[in-house]
Amino acid sequence: MESSHNVIVGIDFGTTYTAAAWADTSNRSQIEIIKNWPTAGPVVGSQVPSEICYDQGGRERVSWGYNIKPQSDKIKWFKLGLEIGQDMLTLPFDLTPAEVICDYLSAVRKHVINTLDRRIRRGSGQSVDVTFAVTVPAIWSDAARENFRQATVNAGMGRMSPPRVFSEPECAAIYTLKDLDDISSLHLNDHVLVCDAGGGTVDIITYEVASILPLSITECTVGTGDYCGSTFVDREFEKLFVTRMGHHYKSITPVHRLQAIKNFEATKAAFRDDPEQEVFYVNIPTAGDIEETGLHSGNLHITRDEMRSLFEPAINRILDLIRAQVKVVPSINMILLVGGFGESEYLYQRVLAWASGTQIRVIQPREASTAIARGAVMKALETAGHSKTRITRRSRKWYGVTINEPFIQGVHVDEDRYPDTGTGQVLARNQVRWFIRKNQTLSDEETFRHVFHRDFLYLGPWKDSLVSCTSDPPPSRLEPPVIKLCSITTDLTHLSKKHFARRWRRFQRYYTAHYTLCLGLRDNNLTFSLEFQGRQYSAASVEFD
């Protein structure tokens, strides 16, 4: 019988670039980065552009990453569509952001599998079993996380085993803290702020080091974040580009406009606010000399002051987020800058300047742009049986369920009042019972339970609603700012009626079910099950709003 290699693949799907790392479970210490990305000419690196181009024929033929021809009409930044809506995107064939993500990740998956096949199968003759570990921003909503997870499944990442979904800053923290050049610089009770600055999102989370070997970290307070990544610097350049070009802007084709923004990325990455460099250049395809625009020999001249101004909105917002965390956790003594934008020399300088005069060390780890993908592999390897990093999180919101309860005049509002047709009891609908508090500490091992009872004449599937709220204190009924997260359908129709308590009212027989809804937050992902008469049942379906 042919033996197999079990491989973990970590995918950090970013707004602008995607990184992939992998390790064989038989050699856990050797984590490799995929670098042989398909290309139509550009030099490839440790990340591949999160860009895709559809042929006129539809979804069956796509080019992606470095393999997109310069003149093609490519789609980028589509990751943002999962959370902040697709109004900012122009997608072909009436596609949704989730479908575009699926198509892109499907191409990434095929390339990764082919690479592993060449590296392992052809070398050893053994088959390769792959488990994918994908990462998401910590600031994403539960619905966005679920939509992304489903997109990875649709992309084929769950064919061998279900994909694991991890938080980006958690993966960055695991890799960085375990890979510090000088591990002796990490001490018990240190407070480490992780600034995961990517292309679209920036996540800020502060951890207390509870143990070093094995690593155990605890969130000190609720993490924060915002959409202020490096793409927002690109947008500032686009505004400058349009303003500087004036009426000449119309003569530049949309494809060449996109290429100009792409060319700006290299200038952005290299910017370090060096006083000896007062002018920077961005190539504008097909453009020549337009003196009044600052365009010479096809290169747009940008002053050092202008370059600083392009960074200002994003960096100022990042510094605001850091200040807010330090205000809540004054004992912070280390800041780790990770993510693609986290590699920016200018961002590092600005954070370092802010921290001067304090006891806070600012560290830009090695391989900051691939730290998340590497950390995803490390975290998945741990769950496969190795010494596990313990992470205690804090809930970013209140979680609860909607219930109907006996109506009490003066306590409930009249619009919620209704008579139960089965029992005749006057009830209040749209009431909420909270069972996870905002800022409550959570671990993967914990399960939260809520006991229900349901009366029915005929047995069929029933639904319970999970709701959330970020305000303190939250309302006790379903009203703004409470939002409905999802509907959980339970189906016990395979059980006979003898399992349910029988009741009578006015010669009408009805039944009562007493059950417990169980909620978990493993790896910060919602899990659901139901307990009935001592047995546990999976939710039949979960539909996110």
Side-chain angles (χ1 to χ4, degrees):
M1 181 176 178
E2 183 187 61
S3 60
S4 64
H5 282 264
N6 294 313
V7 173
I8 303 294
V9 175
I11 301 290
D12 173 23
F13 167 57
T15 302
T16 52
Y17 285 89
T18 293
W22 67 277
D24 193 317
T25 57
S26 64
N27 188 8
R28 299 169 181 270
S29 62
Q30 185 174 343
I31 298 177
E32 297 193 38
I33 296 294
I34 300 287
K35 296 181 179 179
N36 64 326
W37 300 109
T39 178
V43 177
V44 301
S46 59
Q47 297 174 288
V48 60
S50 300
E51 299 172 355
I52 191 170
C53 177
Y54 290 92
D55 193 285
Q56 293 300 318
R59 297 178 68 183
E60 297 304 316
R61 296 186 60 186
V62 301
S63 52
W64 59 284
Y66 293 107
N67 220 15
I68 301 175
K69 297 177 182 178
Q71 68 273 21
S72 299
D73 189 10
K74 59 189 174 185
I75 305 168
K76 62 179 184 177
W77 303 350
F78 45 90
K79 177 182 177 180
L80 298 176
L82 271 190
E83 179 73 331
I84 61 178
Q86 64 185 92
D87 294 342
M88 59 176 289
L89 302 171
T90 301
L91 303 179
F93 313 119
D94 294 322
L95 294 175
T96 66
E99 288 172 325
V100 177
I101 290 171
C102 169
D103 294 340
Y104 175 80
L105 291 181
S106 178
V108 171
R109 178 192 65 81
K110 291 174 184 176
H111 176 72
V112 169
I113 294 296
N114 288 338
T115 299
L116 295 177
D117 187 62
R118 290 195 302 272
R119 289 288 304 274
I120 299 175
R121 185 182 181 90
R122 295 180 187 176
S124 66
Q126 297 177 322
S127 61
V128 182
D129 291 337
V130 177
T131 297
F132 283 91
V134 296
T135 62
V136 296
I139 63 171
W140 265 11
S141 65
D142 296 293
R145 294 171 73 98
E146 173 59 21
N147 288 337
F148 179 71
R149 186 200 65 80
Q150 189 58 54
T152 66
V153 172
N154 294 341
M157 291 186 174
R159 289 182 178 178
M160 298 181 186
S161 59
R164 303 297 304 275
V165 182
F166 298 143
S167 163
E168 291 174 358
E170 280 187 11
C171 292
I174 288 173
Y175 170 72
T176 304
L177 293 177
K178 288 189 172 185
D179 196 58
L180 282 175
D181 287 331
D182 183 8
I183 192 65
S184 63
S185 64
L186 190 65
H187 303 94
L188 285 179
N189 305 317
D190 273 354
H191 291 87
V192 182
L193 184 152
V194 177
C195 175
D196 173 20
T201 57
V202 174
D203 282 310
I204 305 286
I205 300 181
T206 301
Y207 298 100
E208 179 178 2
V209 179
S211 169
I212 297 177
L213 293 173
L215 183 63
S216 177
I217 54 178
T218 300
E219 286 188 20
C220 299
T221 186
V222 174
T224 60
D226 204 350
Y227 289 87
C228 51
S230 63
T231 58
F232 293 87
V233 181
D234 298 343
R235 293 181 188 189
E236 292 301 313
F237 166 73
E238 188 173 9
K239 294 176 187 176
L240 174 68
F241 182 32
V242 172
T243 301
R244 289 272 294 275
M245 295 302 294
H247 69 275
H248 298 286
Y249 185 76
K250 295 180 180 179
S251 65
I252 301 174
T253 66
V255 169
H256 289 143
R257 294 171 189 171
L258 289 175
Q259 187 59 47
I261 297 173
K262 189 73 175 177
N263 294 341
F264 169 72
E265 290 182 7
T267 306
K268 174 184 65 178
F271 181 64
R272 55 183 62 239
D273 198 23
D274 184 349
E276 295 185 3
Q277 186 172 359
E278 290 293 339
V279 181
F280 301 82
Y281 307 94
V282 177
N283 181 257
I284 311 299
T286 73
D289 292 321
I290 307 177
E291 187 66 34
E292 69 269 23
T293 67
L295 193 64
H296 304 284
S297 301
N299 291 309
L300 187 68
H301 291 204
I302 304 176
T303 67
R304 179 178 162 218
D305 286 341
E306 286 174 325
M307 283 294 294
R308 280 199 299 259
S309 71
L310 301 181
F311 281 85
E312 281 306 293
I315 288 184
N316 285 341
R317 180 58 184 143
I318 291 171
L319 291 174
D320 285 344
L321 293 170
I322 292 174
R323 288 189 192 98
Q325 282 276 296
V326 172
K327 185 176 182 180
V328 177
V329 189
S331 52
I332 289 171
N333 57 350
M334 184 187 300
I335 294 175
L336 299 178
L337 289 178
V338 298
F341 196 21
E343 283 195 318
S344 165
E345 177 67 22
Y346 185 52
L347 175 60
Y348 171 74
Q349 290 177 8
R350 291 291 301 275
V351 176
L352 191 65
W354 172 84
S356 63
T358 73
Q359 299 299 311
I360 300 175
R361 289 182 296 156
V362 181
I363 298 175
Q364 216 173 22
R366 295 178 302 174
E367 310 290 351
S369 63
T370 59
I372 295 169
R374 294 172 188 269
V377 173
M378 294 175 72
K379 187 170 173 61
L381 284 171
E382 291 177 341
T383 57
H386 202 50
S387 176
K388 185 176 181 180
T389 299
R390 180 177 177 83
I391 301 178
T392 302
R393 308 175 185 87
R394 290 184 181 271
S395 177
R396 296 188 174 218
K397 61 187 74 171
W398 295 79
Y399 287 97
V401 289
T402 57
I403 64 168
N404 302 329
E405 62 185 12
F407 182 85
I408 301 176
Q409 191 71 42
V411 174
H412 301 110
V413 297
D414 286 338
E415 67 180 276
D416 291 338
R417 176 175 180 158
Y418 79 101
D420 186 289
T421 56
T423 65
Q425 189 177 19
V426 178
L427 301 177
R429 58 166 62 90
N430 296 327
Q431 306 307 299
V432 178
R433 287 295 173 266
W434 302 104
F435 55 96
I436 296 180
R437 304 183 313 276
K438 181 179 177 181
N439 207 30
Q440 179 177 339
T441 56
L442 310 168
S443 69
D444 286 344
E445 294 76 22
E446 288 181 276
T447 299
F448 302 89
R449 292 174 166 83
H450 188 82
V451 178
F452 288 87
H453 90 272
R454 187 177 294 270
D455 299 323
F456 56 90
L457 296 175
Y458 305 100
L459 179 60
W462 60 70
K463 289 188 176 184
D464 294 301
S465 294
L466 184 71
V467 297
S468 69
C469 184
T470 56
S471 298
D472 291 314
S476 60
R477 66 185 296 270
L478 186 57
E479 62 183 2
V482 178
I483 62 171
K484 182 180 175 183
L485 280 181
C486 60
S487 296
I488 308 160
T489 300
T490 303
D491 189 351
L492 298 180
T493 55
H494 62 286
L495 300 178
S496 65
K497 289 184 178 179
K498 68 179 182 181
H499 289 85
F500 304 97
R502 185 162 52 181
R503 302 281 188 269
W504 293 88
R505 178 180 177 273
R506 297 178 183 176
F507 306 104
Q508 174 71 57
R509 182 174 59 187
Y510 67 96
Y511 298 87
T512 298
H514 294 274
Y515 63 95
T516 301
L517 183 65
C518 305
L519 169 66
L521 281 165
R522 185 185 180 193
D523 296 325
N524 241 3
N525 300 301
L526 291 169
T527 61
F528 305 95
S529 62
L530 177 139
E531 290 179 356
F532 178 67
Q533 294 185 343
R535 296 189 62 182
Q536 192 168 68
Y537 300 87
S538 298
S541 67
V542 179
E543 298 177 5
F544 281 82
D545 283 23

